[in-house]
Amino acid sequence: MQVKHKGKYCVMWCVCQSIVTVGAAVGGLLGGWMVEKIGRKLSLMFCSLPFVFGFTVIIAAQNVWMLYIGRALTGLASGITSLVVPLYISEMAHERVRGTLGSCVQLMVVLGIMGVYLAGLFLDWRWLAICSSIPPTLLMVCMCFMPETPRFLLSQGKRQEAVEALRFLRGPDAPVEWECARIEDACDERGSNFQVSDLKDPGVYKPLMIGIMLMVFQQMTGINAIMFYAENIFEQAHFKESDLASVIVGLIQVIFTAIAALIMDKAGRKILLIISGVAMVISTTAFGVYFYLMSSGASLDLLLMDAAGEKPHTDLAWLALASMAIFIAGFALGWGPIPWLVMSEIFPVKVRGFSSAICVLTNWSMAFLITKTFQDMMNLLTSAGTFWLFACMCIVNVVFTMVFIPETKGKTLEQIEAIFRGAAGP
């Protein structure tokens, strides 16, 4: 694949893409510490600051280093946000709607991506940065009116505040005292302080390993590489309107992520992960076939020679478009939102910050690795070989899901914790 940017501009573009993932990996570690020290609510409010500062630096950028600094700050904020938001939602949501609300995290992400794609058709990068600074500002203001999560408040011994938070979240007529007592009993039974020795507990290391592998497999589908280089992939696939193609990709993401959110608490996490993985196996395999046929055009012409000895007209652009559409739809249906949702559900409260930080660090580190090596893989394995490698990884993640991932649909966080401990949940 030939990157459309040349020389130093190509290098700058690649660094800008990669520096976000590095900042996000660091942000994941920082977020894990913040949620335990200052709580979920304040962590969300403070993560708005590096977003705003980062976009301000980008808006005022006079050289490439200011762009790098701005991207690093927004990456840091992205890492914190990707940990705290799913955690906050899982701890405040009722189990009947936790899947839907948790999936809305990814829905908002893809809505933002599509919005940037659309705005990019009409605005330059400074105006994009100005527009992008508005949502984190609104986040900080709106979070002033939201409560801290009941589980964090109970872990800090603030029972009355936890009851008030539950009443705010569930309504005045809900049995908040009963729910508070249930959560409190679970917190008292397991303790509230994390120690390294807790990693020997199967109720800790089993969900931690599952969370880590979910993040590894999410990135090994190749999603970030495909999205970062979407325009170039379409150009190599001979689509002249690559900017418009990226908007179409964003629209597909939004539609199927919304579908996933609507059916998450009905279909369940496990079945959607399997369907998603199978769809990505098919699409990445087909994409590999497309690039293989395009690279061996002479052989293909001989193979398709008609009886009259004339070469027929063959246009395989539809195969690239269909493959991309199926891949994005499949990813958005399962492997996009569900790893973040499951991460927020499976960890005991006393290790939730630490374990979530490890998962976020894994995810963004893998994103950095895949993004940085994607071009090298395309050169070494060829375009076809790279997509077939992604197809093999999708097969592995389907098997992993079938064997190791428990269904969390409709269960309280305490019941999910009990599954890994081998005990009956409350």
Side-chain angles (χ1 to χ4, degrees), residues 217 270 273-281 335 391-405:
F217 284 128
K270 192 165 185 173
L273 281 175
I274 293 171
I275 293 172
S276 172
V278 170
M280 289 189 295
V281 170
W335 278 93
C392 291
M393 294 310 303
C394 291
I395 292 173
V396 175
N397 74 37
V398 170
V399 175
F400 175 81
T401 301
M402 296 173 67
V403 175
F404 294 107
I405 305 296

Side-chain angles (χ1 to χ4, degrees), residues 94-106:
H94 193 281
E95 55 268 20
R96 290 199 300 266
V97 295
R98 192 178 61 240
T100 295
L101 293 179
S103 300
C104 285
V105 177
Q106 185 71 9

Side-chain angles (χ1 to χ4, degrees), residues 281-304:
V281 170
I282 295 171
S283 58
T284 48
T285 301
F287 228 134
V289 170
Y290 166 79
F291 282 117
Y292 176 78
L293 293 176
M294 292 300 293
S295 65
S296 55
S299 300
L300 182 63
D301 287 342
L302 289 175
L303 184 64
L304 298 179

